[in-house]
């Protein structure tokens, strides 16, 4: 961009970027940016949720796909503002004139073509040149997913097409002299493009070089892109001369990869060597590859894929290196990964080349690198199992037997030293656990200190002598097996840290959660986020942390044990407890901010435990919620008196749990917190935790357990004068009684909740109680009261900006309309409510509306429409794992199928419904049984 640009500006012609007033905006991880790119490519148009999921993951999306897309949209909306709109089950991004570089590119090319038609080629050429200058590299570079790939191909073709238009205009204007070099490079880059070759030949002819114009096209056999007399690639790295043992494994690899008649083999041979870090996979693979040289006279290719690092090798970059070794010059290197892979396989066709792919991350990383020629072979190493890799032979390396480990040590330090202290040598390799890396480290230390006795070295490892400097320390406390000796390699990096970095590394192992984002890590250590980020990036660079996503960090299991052991040595218990309390405080602040956004005006926000932390964005995905729950329990174990803070942290998760329907994950942590609250005699914490536990049990259809938990919670809340929470408890008790079809008791509880909420100023709870009471009022045939409750709830929700309340009130209006015989109005209300629910990220509301819409279709006498809607409802309940809703959906679906005449499917669905309903002791079991009994027996 030139000059100062005001407002928001998006870029697709290169890396996806967004700027506001010339300042870059943080767009998040690659997949989130891929979502933004999809919306930008369809600017101002609605893109459905299913289309977004297909575009990001293809045919096999994860179970969390819906929640992930909504999370990405939520975060983008926070960055971009109100331009990102939600429409039903999808999104649209409003992009104004001049706010997208692709739009500007299209405008310039359109104007240029108009000038061509008007007979002004010079002006047209200048406009096309200006358009092409807008490209900052390959479009959508680095974005994952099939839709990004499709758009990348489309935009690449668009750029090439416009580029050729500009070249044609240059030729018309007599600029052939400066075009030959450019067109030659483009021909090498696109060897199959006939139009480019024609333009190059025209430029050569006009420059008086006719003889050159009919040469073999670049990239073809014998063409200019393949330098003659290329050396045979020999990329295998150095193998230590002290390689020892593994005789059986070596034989297996040689037998699998060196067939006696390779020309008869139908497919490329692939072998995979697996095992833990330090087990010797690389050394074995390179040793075996060296033994196989004579079987692969056309060369050996090697690549370290860095699978366990935070920056695994990009297969496209590896292909570029391989193609270079095979004689492809840079100008001829295809940009598109698939074209690069195709050229790579073409170059390998008929050749006898061995590939060693070291430290692979997964099968997806390897697949583009596999040759198509059966005359080649591949040897892969990885810590993972690579389950998707078609391998002729799989080897899983174990630790070295004692004799082989001792032989390896002897080859490093000298046989005479082993002979002089045989018992100490045996003890040393035992301490190394038979792990080749540990044996090598020990041997290297001893090899550089020939005067040291093995007995002295053992005492150092046992902690009975002075520190031995970087590289070694005691094994992990209480840990047996080979992994215990890898501490030596970890220390090599740990000793490079300064005090602040080392402290943060140790503390990262304290919380029992697999990952921490930057803000959480900073809170854990009590650091400024900028300082924390510098420390975390240093730790990542040294391999002590992994970064699976931007500003997200995790500690490998073994490194976590190492860090925990160092923390036990260096950090006092009170320091570790203080770190957990800071993290829990931060999590409460984040959850409270999310609660306030989801439930505007709810008085509970001001009644949560005060925190010193600043709230940050809260992710409502499964991993984040489970992390909060894990930290909550762990903090309570370290400081039971913090139960008030922890109870409020769980309570603040209520909207997130409602949105994700992860209620089952809450049960065990909530029971643990409740037990501690009772032990600490903290009535406020007991009431709040009991309420959340009862909510979870209610939503899971476990009404008897819910009733008991909520009864105790109400007593505790009343004793603590916690009336805001008591209002919520009364509502939940009423919902549980509704689930048991105890309409009279539910009605009394709703009226009590409305009175309590009105008295304490809990307007949100009052509105929620009225909206929830509608089903009960209808069952009690109090139709006017039900309609009035809907109207009051809807007005209050809209006035307070409560999206959830508005959606729930519309749902209730749909039920009122159905009961009043107005099926069409009911269906419209449910669809409107479902759209608001999806837009707000409330999947439970979507399910509720789909179920009620199914019932409305049945009431209208449209069983086929009911069956179609019921199938969608069933899929939604299964995604959430909501058993009670699934049971009710199956009953309605079976009824619809029965009424439409599809008795076979009806019988299946009703049988399933009956099993679920009876297991949950739900009253609809009798209805399902009656419909099932009315069907003709099979075969009639």
């Amino acid at each position: 961009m030139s000059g100062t640009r005001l407002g928001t500006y998006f870029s697709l012609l290169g890396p996806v970027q967004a700027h506001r007033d010339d300042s870059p905006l943080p767009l998040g991880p690659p997949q989130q940016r891929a979502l933004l790119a999809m919306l930008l490519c369809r600017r101002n148009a609605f893109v459905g949720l299913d289309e977004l999921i297909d575009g990001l993951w293809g045919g096999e999306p994860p179970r969390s796909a819906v929640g992930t897309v909504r999370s990405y949209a939520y975060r983008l909306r926070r960055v971009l503002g109100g331009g990102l709109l939600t429409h039903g089950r999808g999104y649209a991004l409003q992009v104004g004139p001049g706010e997208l570089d692709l739009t500007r590119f299209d405008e310039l090319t359109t104007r240029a073509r108009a000038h061509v038609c008007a007979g002004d080629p010079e002006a047209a050429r200048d406009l096309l040149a200006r358009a092409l200058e807008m490209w900052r590299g390959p479009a959508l570079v680095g974005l994952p997913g099939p839709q990004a790939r499709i758009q990348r191909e489309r935009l690449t073709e668009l750029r090439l097409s416009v580029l050729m238009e500009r070249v044609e205009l240059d030729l018309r204007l007599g600029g052939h002299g400066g075009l030959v070099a450019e067109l030659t490079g483009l021909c090498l880059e696109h060897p199959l493009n006939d139009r480019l070759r024609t333009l190059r030949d025209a430029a050569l002819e006009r420059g008086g070089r006719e003889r050159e114009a009919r040469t073999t096209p670049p990239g073809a056999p014998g063409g200019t892109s393949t330098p003659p007399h290329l050396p045979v690639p020999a990329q295998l790295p150095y193998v230590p001369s002290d390689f020892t043992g593994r005789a059986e494994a070596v034989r297996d690899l040689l037998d699998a990869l060196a067939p006696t008649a390779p020309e008869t083999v139908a497919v490329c041979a692939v072998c995979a060597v697996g095992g833990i870090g330090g087990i010797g996979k690389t050394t074995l693979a390179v040793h075996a590859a060296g033994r196989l040289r004579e079987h692969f006279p056309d060369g050996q290719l090697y690549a370290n894929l860095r699978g366990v690092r935070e920056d695994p090798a990009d297969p496209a970059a590896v292909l570029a290196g391989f193609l270079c070794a095979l004689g492809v010059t840079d100008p001829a290197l295809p940009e598109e990964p698939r074209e690069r892979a195709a050229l790579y396989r073409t170059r390998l066709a008929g050749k006898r080349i061995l590939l060693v792919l070291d430290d692979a991350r997964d099968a997806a990383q390897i697949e583009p690198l596999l040759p198509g020629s059966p005359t080649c072979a591949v040897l892969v190493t990885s810590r993972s199992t690579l389950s998707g890799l078609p391998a002729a032979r799989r080897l899983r390396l174990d630790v070295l037997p004692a004799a082989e480990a001792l032989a390896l040590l002897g080859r490093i330090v000298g046989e005479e030293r082993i002979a002089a202290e045989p018992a100490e040598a045996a003890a040393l390799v035992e301490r190394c656990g038979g792990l080749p890396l540990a044996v090598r480290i020990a041997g290297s230390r001893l090899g550089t200190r020939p005067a040291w006795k093995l007995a002295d070295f053992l005492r150092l490892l046992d902690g009975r002598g002075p520190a031995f400097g970087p590289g070694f320390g005691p094994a992990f406390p209480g840990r047996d097996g080979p992994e215990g000796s890898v501490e030596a390699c970890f220390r090599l990096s740990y000793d490079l840290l300064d005090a602040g970095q080392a402290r943060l590394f140790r503390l990262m192992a304290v919380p029992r959660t697999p990952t921490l984002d930057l803000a959480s890590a900073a809170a854990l250590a009590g650091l400024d986020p900028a300082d924390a980020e510098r420390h975390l990036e240093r730790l990542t660079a040294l391999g002590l942390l992994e970064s699976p996503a931007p500003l997200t960090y995790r500690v490998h299991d073994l490194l976590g044990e190492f860090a925990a052991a160092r923390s036990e040595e260096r950090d006092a218990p009170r320091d570790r407890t203080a770190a957990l309390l800071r993290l829990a405080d931060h999590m409460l602040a984040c959850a409270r901010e999310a609660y306030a956004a989801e439930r505007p005006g709810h008085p509970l926000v001001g009644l949560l435990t005060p925190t010193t932390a600043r709230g940050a964005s809260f992710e409502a995905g499964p991993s984040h919620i489970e992390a909060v729950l894990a930290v909550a329990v762990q903090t309570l174990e370290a400081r039971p008196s913090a139960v008030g803070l922890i109870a409020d942290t769980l309570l603040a998760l209520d909207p997130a749990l409602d949105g994700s329907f992860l209620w089952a994950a809450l049960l065990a942590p909530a029971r643990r917190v409740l037990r501690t609250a009772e032990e600490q005699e903290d009535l406020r914490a007991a009431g709040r935790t009991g309420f959340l536990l009862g909510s979870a049990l209610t939503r899971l259809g476990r009404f008897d357990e819910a009733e008991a938990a909520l009864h105790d919670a109400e007593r505790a809340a009343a004793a603590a004068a916690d009336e805001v929470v008591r209002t919520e408890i009364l509502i939940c008790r009423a919902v549980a009684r509704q689930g048991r079809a105890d309409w009279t008791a539910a009605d009394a509880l709703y009226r009590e909740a409305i009175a309590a909420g009105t008295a304490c100023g809990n307007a949100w709870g009052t509105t929620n109680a009225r909206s929830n009471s509608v089903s009960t009022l209808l069952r009690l045939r109090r139709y006017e009261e039900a309609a009035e409750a809907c109207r009051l709830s809807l007005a209050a929700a809209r006035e307070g900006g409560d999206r959830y309340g508005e959606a729930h009130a519309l749902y209730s209006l749909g039920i009122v309309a159905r009961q009043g015989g107005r099926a069409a109005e009911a269906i419209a209300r449910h669809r409107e409510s479902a759209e608001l629910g999806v837009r707000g990220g409330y999947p439970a509301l979507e399910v509720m509306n789909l179920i009620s819409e199914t019932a409305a279709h049945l009431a209208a006498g449209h069983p086929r429409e009911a069956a179609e809607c019921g199938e969608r409802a069933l899929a939604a309940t299964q995604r959430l794992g909501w058993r009670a809703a699934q049971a009710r959906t199956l009953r309605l679906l079976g009824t619809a199928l029965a009424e439409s005449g599809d008795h076979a499917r009806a019988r299946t669905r009703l049988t399933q419904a009956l099993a679920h309903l009876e297991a949950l002791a739900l009253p609809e079991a009798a209805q399902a049984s009656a419909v099932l009994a009315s069907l003709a027996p099979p075969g009639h």
Side-chain angles (χ1 to χ4, degrees):
M1 294 181 291
S2 60
T4 300
R5 184 183 295 274
L6 300 179
T8 304
Y9 183 75
F10 298 97
S11 303
L12 285 177
L13 307 182
V16 173
Q17 296 176 349
H19 291 74
R20 181 171 294 126
D21 301 341
D22 275 350
S23 297
L25 297 175
L27 299 180
Q31 201 168 50
Q32 183 170 306
R33 285 184 278 116
L35 174 67
L36 174 62
M38 292 173 66
L39 297 173
L40 286 170
C41 288
R42 296 272 297 278
R43 49 200 176 278
N44 300 317
F46 164 78
V47 185
L49 185 61
D50 291 339
E51 183 179 349
L52 292 170
I53 290 172
D54 288 342
L56 291 176
W57 289 283
E60 296 184 0
R63 293 183 61 185
S64 60
V66 173
T68 300
V69 169
R70 289 174 178 158
S71 176
Y72 287 158
Y74 171 77
R75 284 187 281 183
L76 286 171
R77 187 179 287 117
R78 289 174 64 92
V79 173
L80 302 176
L84 180 54
L85 305 178
T86 306
H87 290 291
R89 288 177 55 82
Y91 302 91
L93 182 62
Q94 291 183 322
V95 181
E99 291 183 353
L100 178 65
D101 59 357
L102 178 58
T103 304
R104 180 65 176 151
F105 179 85
D106 290 339
E107 291 171 353
L108 289 171
T109 55
T110 300
R111 287 171 54 195
R113 289 160 187 159
H115 279 291
V116 171
C117 295
D120 190 354
E122 188 171 357
R125 187 263 175 218
D126 291 342
L127 286 170
L128 291 179
R130 284 173 56 192
L132 292 166
E133 287 172 358
M134 298 176 66
W135 287 73
R136 296 165 291 106
L140 313 185
V141 63
L143 297 191
Q147 187 58 224
R149 183 175 63 251
I150 291 169
Q151 293 294 342
R152 190 158 42 239
E153 292 173 356
R154 180 182 73 84
L155 292 173
T156 300
E157 288 298 322
L158 174 65
R159 178 185 178 277
L160 182 60
S161 174
V162 172
L163 179 58
M164 288 189 288
E165 288 183 55
R166 194 225 76 207
V167 168
E168 288 174 343
L169 290 171
D170 275 333
L171 284 172
R172 286 176 59 181
L173 294 168
H176 52 271
L179 290 175
V180 172
E182 179 183 8
L183 285 167
T184 300
L186 287 170
C187 287
L188 290 170
E189 187 177 348
H190 304 279
L192 303 180
N193 192 303
D194 291 335
R195 185 180 173 192
L196 280 173
R197 289 200 299 273
T198 300
L199 290 171
R200 182 203 59 183
D201 289 349
L204 287 168
E205 289 171 356
R206 295 186 186 187
R209 299 162 63 180
E210 292 85 352
R211 295 183 61 184
E212 298 177 51
R214 297 292 179 261
T215 57
T216 305
T224 59
S225 67
T226 306
H229 310 301
L230 287 172
V232 172
Q235 297 183 342
L236 297 179
Y238 169 75
V239 182
S241 58
D242 53 32
F243 179 83
T244 304
R246 305 291 193 197
E248 183 177 353
V250 171
R251 274 198 308 274
D252 285 345
L253 292 176
L254 297 182
D255 290 345
L257 297 173
T260 53
E263 64 277 2
T264 66
V265 180
V267 295
C268 170
V270 180
C271 282
V273 180
I276 64 171
I279 202 70
K281 301 180 292 295
T282 299
T283 304
L284 169 67
V286 176
H287 172 80
R291 296 270 300 271
L292 288 163
R293 285 182 192 274
E294 63 184 67
H295 296 282
F296 298 95
D298 295 318
Q300 305 86 38
L301 298 173
Y302 172 88
N304 182 353
L305 301 183
R306 306 193 305 271
V308 296
R309 287 178 49 181
E310 76 282 358
D311 58 339
D314 180 1
V318 176
L319 285 171
F322 284 170
L323 285 168
C324 181
L326 294 168
V328 178
T329 58
D330 284 345
L333 190 66
E335 184 66 34
E336 167 59 40
R338 284 186 298 180
E339 292 180 8
R340 193 173 289 185
L343 178 58
Y344 162 72
R345 291 183 176 119
T346 299
R347 286 301 178 96
L348 291 181
K351 293 185 180 294
R352 295 187 177 183
I353 288 181
L354 175 64
L355 284 85
V356 179
L357 305 177
D358 194 18
D359 192 19
R361 188 182 190 88
D362 51 31
Q365 187 188 32
I366 300 169
E367 192 278 332
L369 309 176
L370 296 178
S373 173
T375 57
C376 295
V378 182
L379 181 49
V380 183
T381 75
S382 177
R383 294 188 185 187
S384 71
T385 57
L386 300 176
S387 57
L389 180 69
R393 186 71 57 88
R394 292 180 183 276
L395 300 180
R396 188 76 184 173
L397 295 188
D398 203 347
V399 296
L400 289 173
E404 291 186 5
L406 195 59
L408 174 59
L409 181 65
R411 297 190 68 175
I412 297 172
V413 304
E415 297 293 343
E416 66 283 357
R417 295 178 75 177
I418 304 299
E421 299 179 88
E424 288 77 6
L428 179 56
V429 296
E430 183 180 358
R431 172 57 60 84
C432 292
L435 198 69
L437 179 59
V439 174
R440 288 189 181 281
I441 293 172
S444 298
R445 296 298 183 184
L446 285 166
T448 58
R449 294 165 174 81
W452 281 64
K453 291 186 175 296
L454 271 61
D456 296 332
F457 192 71
L458 273 172
R459 280 194 291 274
L460 290 174
L461 296 183
D462 287 335
R464 294 196 293 267
F468 181 63
F472 261 88
F476 292 120
R479 185 178 181 91
D480 299 323
E483 294 91 346
S485 296
V486 300
E487 178 183 339
C489 22
F490 298 156
R491 274 195 176 277
L492 293 173
S493 295
Y494 179 73
D495 288 339
L496 296 175
L497 304 175
D498 63 28
Q501 295 161 359
R503 174 177 174 271
L504 178 55
F505 172 64
R506 296 193 302 268
L507 291 179
M508 289 286 285
V510 172
R512 292 195 290 262
T513 177
T515 62
L516 287 176
D517 60 22
L518 171 60
S520 298
L524 178 75
L527 292 172
D528 176 86
D531 292 335
E533 183 176 3
R534 284 193 293 271
H535 290 344
L536 291 164
E537 290 301 317
R538 170 66 170 161
L539 292 167
T540 302
L542 289 173
L544 292 170
L545 290 181
E546 295 175 305
S547 181
L551 303 182
T552 302
Y553 304 90
R554 68 182 173 209
V555 189
H556 186 277
D557 289 347
L558 295 179
L559 277 163
E561 293 190 31
F562 172 80
R566 303 290 75 72
S567 185
E568 290 283 343
E569 295 170 355
R570 298 292 305 275
D571 305 319
R574 64 177 180 276
D575 294 331
R576 294 195 293 275
T577 299
L580 284 171
L581 287 168
R582 286 191 298 268
L583 180 57
D585 188 65
H586 165 75
M587 288 178 164
L588 172 56
C590 296
R592 180 173 59 188
E593 185 174 297
Y595 193 108
E598 291 295 331
R599 297 182 179 174
H602 200 303
L604 182 63
V605 175
L607 299 176
L608 295 172
T609 301
T611 70
T612 57
R614 292 178 56 191
S617 61
F618 180 81
E619 302 295 340
S623 61
H624 293 86
I625 290 175
E626 288 166 5
V628 174
L629 296 175
V631 169
V633 171
Q634 188 181 0
T635 304
L636 210 57
E637 292 170 354
R639 183 72 60 81
S641 61
V643 68
L645 167 71
I646 299 307
D648 280 2
T649 302
L650 265 58
L651 184 58
L653 289 178
D654 193 10
L657 289 164
D658 235 356
S660 61
F661 213 82
L662 289 172
W663 293 106
L666 174 75
L667 296 180
R671 288 193 171 104
R672 175 71 176 84
V673 176
L674 181 58
R675 188 165 61 249
T676 304
E678 292 167 348
E679 292 168 354
Q680 295 286 313
E681 298 181 351
D682 190 329
L683 291 171
R684 178 176 171 276
R688 294 182 171 198
T689 308
F691 157 61
L692 206 59
L693 175 60
S695 294
L697 292 166
T698 299
R699 285 162 174 81
L700 295 171
R702 295 158 63 172
F703 298 115
D704 289 342
E705 296 175 74
E707 274 285 318
L710 291 166
H711 182 269
D712 292 342
E714 187 190 351
R715 286 195 307 174
D722 198 1
E723 288 299 301
V724 169
V725 172
R726 180 171 168 268
T727 305
E728 309 294 332
I729 295 171
L730 288 166
I731 297 169
C732 197
R733 286 189 63 194
V735 172
R737 294 319 305 168
Q738 262 184 188
R740 287 281 181 243
D742 188 350
W743 309 110
T744 302
D747 176 52
L749 287 164
Y750 279 129
R751 284 188 279 110
E752 189 177 355
I754 292 170
T758 302
C760 71
N762 186 355
W764 195 96
T766 302
T767 299
N768 193 31
R770 284 200 181 97
S771 188
N772 274 287
S773 71
V774 169
S775 293
T776 292
L777 292 170
L778 290 172
R779 292 285 185 166
L780 296 173
R781 301 182 183 279
R782 288 151 57 184
Y783 302 114
E784 286 301 321
E785 288 183 58
E788 179 65 12
C790 288
R791 286 192 290 269
L792 289 173
S793 299
L794 184 61
R798 284 176 171 169
E799 183 181 355
D802 178 6
R803 296 172 299 172
Y804 178 89
E806 181 181 359
H808 198 285
L810 288 168
Y811 162 77
S812 299
L813 279 169
I815 296 175
V816 169
R818 172 162 54 90
Q819 291 293 332
R822 304 186 304 278
E825 179 186 341
I827 291 168
R829 290 293 194 185
H830 286 311
R831 289 178 177 175
E832 185 181 3
S833 174
E835 180 180 345
L836 284 175
V838 170
R839 190 186 309 172
Y842 312 121
L845 269 175
E846 179 190 10
V847 168
M848 291 161 56
N849 280 287
L850 284 170
I851 293 173
S852 288
E853 184 184 337
T854 302
H857 284 299
L858 274 174
H862 301 143
R864 293 189 183 278
E865 289 84 348
E868 187 276 331
C869 188
E871 291 289 357
R872 287 189 286 120
L874 182 61
T877 63
Q878 290 169 337
R879 282 196 301 269
L880 282 187
W882 191 354
R883 285 191 64 202
Q886 183 179 349
R888 288 169 173 145
T889 303
L890 285 165
R891 180 185 70 79
L892 288 170
L893 179 55
T895 304
L897 291 168
E899 292 185 9
S900 64
D902 192 345
H903 287 190
R905 289 177 61 207
R907 188 176 293 103
T908 299
R909 291 307 195 191
L910 287 167
T911 301
Q912 294 171 335
L914 194 58
H916 285 290
L917 290 165
E918 289 178 342
L920 295 170
L922 294 175
E924 292 96 330
Q927 295 166 279
S929 182
V931 178
L932 185 60
S934 70
L935 298 176
H940 287 70

